[in-house]
């Protein structure tokens, strides 16, 4: 550091960048809050009798959920195809103030298509599959594989993109032909992957021998509200979060949600 540079002038410490980081964290928390609230009773149940559960996080990337689950005392294995994401996960775990988090986390490079090569049948109490089913070649086969690695009575937490919200978003952006193709399910599976309806998920999960226990609407309003409004209006983030929670289990809002979260058991 040069003699003329003061710590407060470092780019990483500028107030504007800290505010931007806090805004990003608040928006991210709003997007994941409904899923986390639905998961907490399941996670708390895994720890009954002072026992830790075995959690498998498929495509868990940098550990947004995995680290929080490990903080609750559970053993978590993250399977992800990206070595960079797994390296970021390791750093995140090592930097956690609880030293036990890093001990309870295991990272394994792989993906859903090769899951049985890195996870034994009947080895998981809970499987997290968030944002992965959209990009696999065969969703039905993928869910059957997940069912195989779950223990009897185990739970799948499945988070997927919802088709009808994508139709609306593309139409509002003026992409009417793309909206029509998404509506009819004829659009090619590109970088963003497939979209699913509630009915399609019901059929896929039933075919894999899984029983749906609950369906939650995720990001009904969050993606529609301008970020500038949330940043400028006092209390807006909390009010939006409460609104998302209020509609999460109301079936009439499922078709408006950007994502669907499903809990299903073996």
């Amino acid at each position: 550091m040069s003699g003329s540079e003061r710590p407060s002038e470092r780019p990483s410490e500028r107030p504007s960048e800290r505010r931007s980081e806090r805004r990003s964290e608040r928006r991210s928390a709003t997007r994941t809050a409904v899923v986390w609230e639905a998961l907490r009773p399941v996670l708390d149940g895994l720890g009954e009798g002072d026992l830790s559960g075995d959690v498998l996080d498929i495509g868990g990337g940098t550990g947004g959920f995995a680290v929080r689950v490990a903080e609750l005392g559970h053993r978590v294995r993250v399977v992800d195809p990206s070595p960079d994401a797994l390296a970021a996960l390791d750093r995140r775990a090592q930097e956690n103030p609880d030293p036990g988090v890093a001990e309870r986390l295991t990272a394994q490079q792989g993906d859903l298509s090769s899951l049985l090569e890195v996870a034994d049948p009947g080895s998981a109490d809970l499987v997290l599959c968030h944002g992965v089913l959209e990009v696999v070649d065969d969703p039905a086969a993928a869910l059957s594989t997940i069912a195989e690695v779950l223990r009897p009575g185990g739970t799948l937490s499945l988070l997927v993109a919802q088709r009808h919200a994508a139709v609306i978003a593309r139409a509002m952006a003026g992409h009417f032909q793309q909206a029509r193709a998404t509506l009819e399910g004829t659009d090619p599976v590109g970088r963003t992957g497939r979209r699913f309806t509630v009915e399609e998920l019901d059929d896929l999960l039933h075919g894999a021998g899984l029983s749906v226990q609950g369906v939650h609407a995720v990001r009904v309003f969050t993606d529609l509200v301008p970020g500038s409004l949330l940043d400028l209006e006092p209390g807006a983030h909390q009010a939006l979060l409460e609104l998302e929670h209020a509609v999460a289990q109301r079936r009439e809002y499922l078709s408006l949600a950007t994502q669907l979260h499903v809990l299903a058991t073996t």
Side-chain angles (χ1 to χ4, degrees), residues 17-88:
E17 294 193 5
R18 290 199 297 270
R19 287 195 296 270
S20 176
E21 183 177 345
R22 287 194 294 267
R23 287 195 295 266
S24 177
E25 289 174 353
R26 286 197 299 267
R27 200 164 183 85
S28 177
T30 303
R31 289 176 170 175
T32 59
V34 167
V35 178
W36 185 251
E37 183 179 74
L39 274 175
R40 277 308 300 263
V42 178
L43 291 165
D44 292 344
L46 297 183
E48 290 180 353
D50 295 325
L51 296 176
S52 298
D54 291 304
V55 180
L56 177 63
D57 190 352
I58 304 169
T62 59
F65 273 88
V67 170
R68 296 176 72 181
V69 172
E71 287 175 340
L72 297 177
H74 301 298
R75 295 175 296 275
V76 187
R77 172 177 289 188
V78 178
V79 177
D80 194 282
S82 169
D84 291 338
L86 295 177

Side-chain angles (χ1 to χ4, degrees), residues 162 196-203 215 251 254-255 260:
Q162 195 269 131
F196 297 90
T197 65
V198 175
E199 293 76 19
E200 288 168 343
L201 288 179
D202 281 340
D203 290 343
V215 183
R251 196 167 183 85
L254 293 177
S255 61
L260 297 172

Side-chain angles (χ1 to χ4, degrees), residues 81-140:
S82 169
D84 291 338
L86 295 177
L89 166 66
D90 182 65
R91 290 193 298 271
R92 189 180 222 170
Q94 296 295 336
E95 293 169 359
N96 194 281
D98 178 0
V101 167
E103 296 174 1
R104 291 188 289 271
L105 273 171
T106 303
Q108 178 76 49
Q109 190 171 358
D111 57 31
L112 189 46
S113 65
S114 59
L115 186 62
L116 290 174
E117 297 176 14
V118 297
D120 294 330
S123 61
D125 299 301
L126 170 65
V127 171
L128 309 181
C129 183
H130 297 170
V132 175
L133 198 67
E134 296 92 327
V135 296
V136 301
D137 293 333
D138 187 340

